[in-house]
Amino acid sequence: MRIAPAALASGAIALALAGCSGTPGPVTSSASEVAPSFPRIAGRVLSTTESVPGDWVVTVRVADPPTAYREARSLLVEHGYELTLDEPVVDGGNGQACTTRLCVGFSALTRPQIGRTVQYEVFHSTGVVG
């Protein structure tokens, strides 16, 4: 199992950043490829970037990070993703869900400079490790 780097750091960040807000940054996109399709919550996409070849980060504006975390988790599970990490916290949460084809790390919290968001890290999977 691979845990998305964003998900690992987000637990501590979520607690440290509770209550912070900001304005959205510029929308960016990958020049080389488009992020693969995956179930995600509705909302304004603030950015889609290819952080390293084959890893995409998609940031979506949300009204309430704790509610958005639960919705993101449910949506992935409903679409056949196996939950491999589930760490809800008072102000949001961090999780990861995988299929044999794709893993999606997701964190919902308030981030400096961009505000309340769900950030997805999507990468190709070699399968769920049990």
Side-chain angles (χ1 to χ4, degrees):
M1 169 179 58
R2 175 179 166 198
I3 297 175
L8 290 175
S10 294
I13 293 171
L15 296 174
L17 299 179
C20 296
S21 64
T23 57
V27 175
T28 59
S29 63
S30 171
S32 62
E33 290 190 57
V34 175
S37 178
F38 66 96
R40 67 172 178 80
I41 62 171
R44 179 175 170 228
V45 175
L46 299 178
S47 66
T48 300
T49 58
E50 188 172 16
S51 56
V52 297
D55 277 13
W56 294 268
V57 176
V58 179
T59 304
V60 179
R61 164 95 53 227
V62 298
D64 180 55
T67 300
Y69 176 78
R70 290 187 300 272
E71 184 181 340
R73 177 182 60 208
S74 292
L75 192 58
L76 287 161
V77 171
E78 288 169 11
H79 281 88
Y81 284 71
E82 183 178 331
L83 200 58
T84 57
L85 176 68
D86 183 21
E87 296 178 342
V89 295
V90 172
D91 297 322
N94 303 298
Q96 180 175 279
C98 298
T99 66
T100 56
R101 183 183 75 75
L102 204 62
C103 278
V104 178
F106 55 101
S107 63
L109 56 115
T110 301
R111 292 174 168 79
Q113 306 300 319
I114 60 174
R116 296 176 299 235
T117 62
V118 170
Q119 190 169 69
Y120 292 97
E121 183 176 3
V122 184
F123 52 94
H124 292 286
S125 174
T126 57
V128 177
V129 177

